[in-house]
Amino acid sequence: MAADEVILTQDHSGITDDLAARRYFAKFERITGHLARVAAEMEHEGSLTKTDVGIISDYIQRIARTFRALSHKYLLTGRDTGQFFGSLSIDRHESGFPVFSELMRMANDATQSATHLDGMPTRSALKDQMVRKILGELTIPTKLQYALSQRLYYEELEKGALFWPTNDPKAIWQGNMEDRRSYLLHWAVYDSQQNIPTIYMMDVEDSGDVALPKDQTRWPLVQAHLTAQASAGLKLLTIAQGFDRDFDDLHPKRLRRLHVGPMYSSAFTLQAGPIREVLEEAQSPQGEDWTLAWTHEELVSERVEMEKKGWFSSVEREIFKLDPFSGRGAETGATRISRSMILPQRPYQVLAEKNPPGFSNVRKFVVSPAGRVVSVR
């Protein structure tokens, strides 16, 4: 049993102990720190471009800031603050991440953060009151500590650049070709079904008269369309074909989806099968009892066909290439899917020794005690 174990009894459970909450957030602080190095390793081997890594790294930093904000909010979980406070709710069965409603509440809090901060004492004022409480009354200033934790929470929200439930699409110009422009669109959501961050990237050719990001008619419609379709329950093929049919002068050439998670930890999640056995047998020290899944789906256009539209015109329609092996393309709705896992050195050693079925094709990124990331095929 890991040193930072916490008892959870439901699929969506609250971490009600302040020390367990701190260990949970410290664990994710380490994990998000490793993710940027994993992306850099994938760039080095050529599976991601420098632009891809920049996009992914920005979203990872946003995820890290979101966890930092929540760590302030729940700093005094389980302590007697003299008022109802609650606890961080995590999805212990499916993802290991906070549940979707936590991010919804955070987004709502962000709209009122300035008002909250205006009505709160400053950091220095709160610290002065805590010192007087400790020296004058020889008591722990729990309520003042709580007030300071909430101020830190709202300050993080005011800084912005967090990972929100919906992170609107942005366009990066990639160049011009004859009568069209090329863009890389990217957006991200906190998937409400899986409770994990999900990043989307789409290579698009634009044959419209006005550059897409400057088109006051098309660009808002494109943003609304993409965020509405950003669901893990939809196949990439469904998303790409819907986009292709709704925008005749935008041509999706490649669509990718990156699932950042689930996170498994014998201290905080209920996992089944080989992962549970690996983490239990590893008996990892505090902070190293985890593994994170990292799934990359990709759909590419194979060719273009002309489709008649109306009496006198025709439009391009993309024909997408599906996975040709064992007829799985229709099932997955993707050209290819690659699965990876990121894990510390001790759990990896146990995984390598046990060599359970189904893991031979999963890419491993092993984190050394010094924080170095090594790719293992």
Side-chain angles (χ1 to χ4, degrees), residues 113-125:
S113 57
T115 303
H116 282 285
L117 289 171
D118 287 343
M120 289 180 169
T122 63
R123 284 196 200 188
S124 58

Side-chain angles (χ1 to χ4, degrees), residues 47-60:
S47 56
L48 292 176
T49 68
K50 184 176 181 179
T51 301
D52 295 337
V53 171
I55 292 169
I56 294 170
S57 296
D58 178 66
Y59 285 123
I60 290 171

Side-chain angles (χ1 to χ4, degrees), residues 268-281:
F268 295 100
T269 64
L270 289 178
Q271 53 280 328
I275 289 294
R276 176 182 61 80
E277 296 173 6
V278 165
L279 292 174
E280 287 181 353
E281 290 186 27

